[in-house]
Amino acid sequence: MSSDYRPLEEYQEYPPERMLARAQTLADDLQRRRSVRDFSDRAVAPALIQHCLRAAVSAPSGANRQPWHFVGVTDPAIKHRIRLAAEEEERAFYQHRAPPEWLQALEPLGTDASKPFLDIAPVLIAVFYQRYGVDASGKRFKNYYASESVGLACGMLIAALHHAGLATLTHTPSPMKFLREILGRPRNEAPYLLIVTGYPAAGCQVPDIRRKPLDEVISWDPAAPQDKPD
């Protein structure tokens, strides 16, 4: 066997009944997750965010390139710069770029160009994906499935933040190049997502939405479609 391999030591199996209980507990917990737009300014312990980021960077990635970078933002001045830039893009989106169908789909959520949560929430996490890597000598190298890999890491981060007891919101002003400029990231990194996290404000309300039933979004062993005769 190649010297690049070693015995699997991290995997842990449980008795079947405990496996089922763990799966159900996690699913029940994640079913309670909701996107929150009304945050408290209550501080979050930095160690809590750090552990959630540890969970995120354990995600699988194409060829193990790990093509991500996470920037935590707690400084009020930087958060305000991000809010101003994001709202500028959002105004252009709502007034000029968004097609009527998109605006109609957003209407039940009550969203608009105003994003006060970017000032109020204690922590913003800007996620970047590396379009290509750069080694110590400055030479470029290719990353594989970078967008998909970063998407997996973001999902694990959101799950970790929720599991820890924090509320989250995924925010995607488009375009987001202002994030790279404000946060001083290199040219090989592109903004991917802005995750807002903290505690919900007292009396926080969320849209009364429903998730699709499982039988609508999950299939088991579907039969291959039969070719229809001409």
Side-chain angles (χ1 to χ4, degrees):
M1 180 176 290
S2 167
S3 61
D4 291 333
Y5 281 76
R6 60 173 176 80
L8 175 63
E9 299 170 346
E10 296 86 350
Y11 172 74
Q12 185 171 357
E13 185 175 341
Y14 303 95
E17 64 277 4
R18 189 176 176 196
M19 292 176 71
L20 181 61
R22 286 169 60 88
Q24 182 174 349
T25 298
L26 180 60
D28 289 345
D29 187 29
L30 292 178
Q31 282 290 315
R32 295 188 298 102
R33 193 211 64 80
R34 293 298 308 272
S35 294
V36 166
R37 292 176 173 83
D38 190 8
F39 284 86
S40 165
D41 62 359
R42 179 179 159 198
V44 173
L48 183 59
I49 302 298
Q50 190 78 357
H51 282 301
C52 293
L53 289 169
R54 285 184 59 227
V57 301
S58 71
S61 62
N64 194 37
R65 292 289 202 235
Q66 303 170 56
W68 44 60
H69 191 88
F70 298 83
V71 180
V73 180
T74 60
D75 183 278
I78 300 176
K79 289 195 298 177
H80 190 62
R81 288 182 63 193
I82 290 173
R83 177 185 177 179
L84 294 179
E87 288 184 337
E88 181 178 352
E89 296 295 352
E90 292 289 89
R91 283 191 293 272
F93 166 78
Y94 280 94
Q95 295 173 9
H96 306 295
R97 295 200 301 264
E101 296 84 357
W102 196 345
L103 293 177
Q104 186 176 2
L106 290 173
E107 188 173 353
L109 303 179
T111 61
D112 56 27
S114 179
K115 309 297 177 185
F117 49 76
L118 295 175
D119 269 328
I120 298 170
V123 182
L124 309 180
I125 302 174
V127 185
F128 294 83
Y129 80 94
Q130 296 172 346
R131 295 173 293 183
Y132 55 89
V134 182
D135 66 17
S137 69
K139 182 180 178 181
R140 294 186 182 188
F141 59 86
K142 183 177 177 61
N143 284 330
Y144 302 95
Y145 298 103
S147 181
E148 293 86 347
S149 300
V150 177
L152 291 168
C154 287
M156 293 178 69
L157 176 56
I158 292 166
L161 292 165
H162 171 77
H163 186 67
L166 296 174
T168 56
L169 174 68
T170 54
H171 184 47
T172 53
S174 180
M176 290 193 291
K177 63 181 181 180
F178 64 84
L179 280 177
R180 189 176 67 197
E181 297 166 359
I182 292 174
L183 300 177
R185 299 309 304 162
R187 294 187 60 82
N188 68 313
E189 294 184 2
Y192 186 86
L193 185 65
L194 187 61
I195 298 177
V196 185
T197 190
Y199 299 97
C204 174
Q205 295 191 359
V206 295
D208 186 16
I209 60 174
R210 297 290 184 270
R211 293 183 172 93
K212 294 179 179 179
L214 287 183
D215 60 4
E216 188 175 330
V217 297
I218 297 175
S219 299
W220 285 95
D221 300 323
Q226 299 298 315
D227 291 335
K228 295 182 178 179
D230 294 335

